[in-house]
Amino acid sequence: MASVNFQYFASINVTDSSTVPSLSTIVNIYITVTPVNQYAPVCHPPYQFPVKMMSQIDTAVGTVNATDRDWKFNNVQFKIIGGNPNPPLFDIGRRTGIIHLLNNLEYEQLRTFNLEIQIVDLNQDIEPDPKNQKTGSCTIIVYVQDTSPVCNPWYYIKTICSTYSPESEVITLYCTSTNASVSYEIIGGNTNEQFSMRGSTIFTQNAFTYYTAGVVDPTSFELLVRVTVDTAPELSATATVLVQVAYCTTTTTTTTTATTTRTTRIVTVMEYYWAPEPWFVAVMTVTGALLIAVLTLLIWKCFKRSSLCRQPPVKESKPILQIKSSDLKGLSDMQGDSPPKPDDLLMKKLSMPSLNQQSTKFDGKAEDPVTGQQYLYSSSTGERRWM
């Protein structure tokens, strides 16, 4: 078989028989075979591989079958380029094509994985890779088998009457598993073997006893039912059935026709109460505290504002210019017996400057806060002169 630049050798003997003696010669021929990559690799069945959900890590799921007609034959490598979850759940051998499991499938929600496998040929052309490399691809489907059973619902509550006869139907469970059937078995809570399981339905096995001395059945049965996948017994789940037995009375009425009438009565007492959530109590407490703080702040602001409105009484300022009694007497002599008015006395005193005012030096000017009249004053003697 040829390899890269492999040479075939041939020797050809050429003879001319028309001459005597005959002449001959040997011709050597060398044939060099050069590889050329002409065909892309191709996938072959199977394209689907099952894997059990409880498989261990590094379990071999299946082998991808691929071929290449170029020499060297089937010299290919494999790679997963799509359909692998993140983080990766599967891996493929680069040269073997074997798909391995990298993680547990127990917590995966998906049950089918479509893996896109890329196939590349190697060293099949005189040109070095990857100049003339050819690629192919195929989709491999990996599906999970024997999933754990699922019940809808997981918890059942059933109230029956104490007068139930044996072999009476109590309740039916609804559980399923992907690609497999399931079986049911009571594994706990069946006091006095009171119940039996037939398929997915629970039946009463014995009559309830509440009056026989030494035998007293409970009024509440919490039955544990194990649901198992038939094809994988290691996969199972447990459903709970709470059966409450209510006391029922049976009365017999005798009539003229001698018939017996049985009346079944179930009494249910329900109590209603309001139980707020913890978050609601916390929110109401914080809201009340904030409301009290806001009201306190508003009251304090009102008292503070009302106290600012009450201003202390302003004392009346006395005029700087004082009127003496002697002035009042002199003014009365001038005006006769009528009493002088304060304004007349003031104007009289202002219009009569003293003799010392002419010799006094005034070095300041001010305004009377009561009358608003301006005056001159001496800072050394304190005397004033009205303007």
Side-chain angles (χ1 to χ4, degrees), residues 44-285:
H44 302 281
Y47 301 113
Q48 296 183 2
F49 300 105
V51 59
K52 293 184 179 297
M53 190 182 67
M54 303 302 294
S55 299
Q56 301 295 324
I57 296 177
D58 202 32
T59 299
V61 177
T63 302
V64 179
N65 184 14
T67 58
D68 189 358
R69 291 188 293 171
D70 293 314
W71 192 86
K72 302 175 181 181
F73 300 118
N74 305 330
N75 189 24
V76 296
Q77 66 178 10
F78 303 87
K79 181 180 179 181
I80 299 177
I81 60 174
N84 205 5
N86 188 16
L89 190 60
F90 301 96
D91 184 33
I92 189 170
R94 188 166 176 240
R95 299 304 300 271
T96 61
I98 301 176
I99 300 176
H100 291 272
L101 193 63
L102 293 181
N103 207 339
N104 293 324
L105 297 171
E106 183 177 0
Y107 305 103
E108 292 294 329
Q109 295 182 354
L110 295 177
R111 289 294 176 261
T112 303
F113 302 90
N114 297 322
L115 302 180
E116 189 72 18
I117 309 298
Q118 183 187 61
I119 309 166
V120 182
D121 55 18
L122 301 174
N123 301 323
Q124 293 181 329
D125 197 275
I126 191 173
E127 296 289 339
D129 292 340
K131 285 187 177 181
N132 290 327
Q133 274 186 314
K134 296 186 181 299
T135 61
S137 64
C138 58
T139 300
I140 301 298
I141 300 176
V142 179
Y143 59 92
V144 182
Q145 284 185 331
D146 300 332
T147 59
S148 296
V150 177
C151 297
N152 186 20
W154 288 100
Y155 192 84
Y156 296 81
I157 299 178
K158 179 70 174 180
T159 301
I160 63 175
C161 188
S162 60
T163 58
Y164 262 39
S165 61
E167 306 300 327
S168 298
E169 181 179 341
V170 178
I171 197 171
T172 300
L173 279 65
Y174 298 94
C175 302
T176 58
S177 177
T178 306
N179 301 327
S181 59
V182 295
S183 58
Y184 303 83
E185 179 187 5
I186 299 176
I187 60 173
N190 194 10
T191 306
N192 299 331
E193 300 297 327
Q194 195 66 45
F195 301 93
S196 62
M197 197 86 197
R198 300 177 187 175
S200 61
T201 304
I202 298 176
F203 291 86
T204 57
Q205 186 165 322
N206 303 311
F208 296 100
T209 304
Y210 295 103
Y211 301 104
T212 305
V215 180
V216 178
D217 290 329
T219 58
S220 180
F221 298 83
E222 189 173 357
L223 304 178
L224 301 180
V225 180
R226 180 169 59 192
V227 186
T228 306
V229 179
D230 293 337
T231 57
E234 69 276 5
L235 298 178
S236 63
T238 302
T240 303
V241 180
L242 179 61
V243 180
Q244 297 176 340
V245 182
Y247 175 72
C248 303
T249 58
T250 303
T251 58
T252 303
T253 304
T254 303
T255 63
T256 55
T257 58
T259 59
T260 302
T261 303
R262 294 183 178 181
T263 303
T264 301
R265 181 182 303 169
I266 300 177
V267 179
T268 303
V269 179
M270 303 182 66
E271 295 182 0
Y272 297 94
Y273 64 94
W274 182 65
E277 297 291 337
W279 65 265
F280 181 77
V281 177
V283 169
M284 293 302 296
T285 302

